[in-house]
Amino acid sequence: MLNRVALFAALDGRIAEAARTGRILGVLMLRTQRMREFDLLFGYEAGERVASAMRIALDGALRTVDEVVQIGECDFAMILPDLHDRNHAALAAAKLVRTLQLPLDIEGRQFLAPAAIGAAVYPDDGADADLLCRHADIACAEAASGSERFALYASPELPDAFAHGDLRDAIVRNQLLLFLQPIVALQGDRGARAEALSRWTHPLHGAIAPEAFIQVAEQTGLISELTRWNFNVALRHAAQARDRGHPLALSLNVSIAVLQQPTFVEQVLGMLRFWNVPTELVTLEVTESGLMRDLAHCERMLRQLRDHGFGIAIDDFGTGYSSMAYLKRLPATELKIDKTFVLDMTRDARVVKLVGSMIDLSHHLGLEVVAEGVEDAETLALLRGLGCDHAQGYYTGRPLPAEAVLAALESGARY
Ligand code: C2E
Ligand code: MG
Ligand code: MG
């Protein structure tokens, strides 16, 4: 790669910025496909002329914040900060492919320089410059052999057998990351609160979706260790925040397999004692679908936890077999409406009614409500109007590395 050092230096800075702000960063790799023909037509200086014409075309199609780095004779990498989502990277790649389907003007001659473009995004497809570029390159190779000429990196399915070993190593070597996402009070001021979410970037495969590795952990028995890791790191940050004068309430996810362990209550109390965090600052989240698998036992365990002062949230509400009967039986303090409902609120008035009745139902049962997946101001306004108590979503705050959240708290950011 010609200008690898410059590209990596530019990318490192942008990645650090994206990690700080929680924004999505895109990397595009563009490879030109007819270089032999250019050489024959324009002689040995062909590369330079085609490259400068391409650069003008690319700059014209990109936003001013985007950066173009030449990495080969007629090959480019593009760094796109502040994307809305991964699809945004694919849209940009599609636009550039279309741009290069128009002939370039090279010294008065019209010339076609078709290209293939691969895209990868931070943090989904890799946590560092090297991995992001490799994945964008893989996508580019795929684009070159397909008909669309652009492709977004798709991570291969992780074979479970080795995923298990890798995940165990990652837990033991403390290579998972803890992200915190704010849970914002919509009525009144309640103090800072955040949900602890685990992140795993595989050394070869890049970021693995939490749903995927949590499932591997549950199937292989690693979930106890993962939970212990997640709780300890989250509590350490809460303790640190409190010591610096910024108390932070935590929501922690508990898999049903973990809740079923007879020693779970003792274990979690032990961790709280160790970090000197009171149970009143901790809400344990259990998914609705998990609860339904073993209702009687869950009910007993949750009651013990509730008696010790923990908050209990029913997570992903609406995706399982929601029934009034079990809601009444459970010692829950909070209900989290699944994001699939919240995401549809601005598109479908019936969903607004549905969410409204979930909120009313919860309030009747004495439960507070968190709406998950609040992605825009309009949804937030609707929820406020419906009397929803808390919001959690990309609009009110993306999940960020725990250190960044602590720094934000210290700088006086409201959570
Ligand atoms: P969850 O507990 O329902 O966590 C909320 C999920 O919604 C998170 O996904 C979060 O990133 C995502 N989210 C938040 N706001 C928005 C939004 O505005 N739009 C959209 N589209 N999504 C939003 P994430 O981090 O991928 O985690 C997925 C699930 O994995 C979590 O769902 C949780 O059930 C599980 N999980 C994550 N970490 C742990 C862990 O340490 N232990 C256990 N047991 N489960 C975990
Ligand atoms: Mg949760
Ligand atoms: Mg949820």
Side-chain angles (χ1 to χ4, degrees), residues 205-316:
H205 300 288
I208 311 289
E211 273 101 353
F213 70 78
I214 296 294
Q215 198 188 358
V216 171
E218 283 174 346
Q219 286 164 355
T220 56
L222 282 172
I223 190 67
S224 321
E225 282 162 58
L226 193 148
T227 305
R228 214 171 311 134
W229 176 88
N230 173 285
F231 277 35
N232 264 315
V233 179
L235 289 165
R236 172 161 58 82
H237 282 94
Q240 212 171 49
R242 180 218 35 230
D243 292 345
R244 296 176 189 172
H246 307 282
L248 174 68
L250 287 176
S251 286
L252 303 174
N253 292 289
V254 187
S255 288
I256 244 38
V258 170
L259 192 65
Q260 282 170 329
Q261 293 168 357
T263 56
F264 175 69
V265 179
E266 268 320 304
Q267 275 185 43
V268 60
L269 285 172
M271 286 189 266
L272 264 75
R273 266 196 305 275
F274 182 85
W275 293 109
N276 195 20
V277 173
T279 51
E280 286 71 21
L281 273 188
V282 177
T283 299
L284 300 172
E285 299 194 354
V286 189
T287 61
E288 184 191 34
S289 50
L291 286 170
M292 300 313 292
R293 295 215 306 259
D294 188 1
L295 193 53
H297 181 256
C298 287
E299 191 187 338
R300 254 194 331 274
M301 295 296 279
L302 293 179
R303 190 159 303 282
Q304 280 183 46
L305 290 162
R306 181 76 200 106
D307 289 344
H308 281 290
F310 289 98
I312 307 289
I314 300 174
D315 203 354
D316 302 346

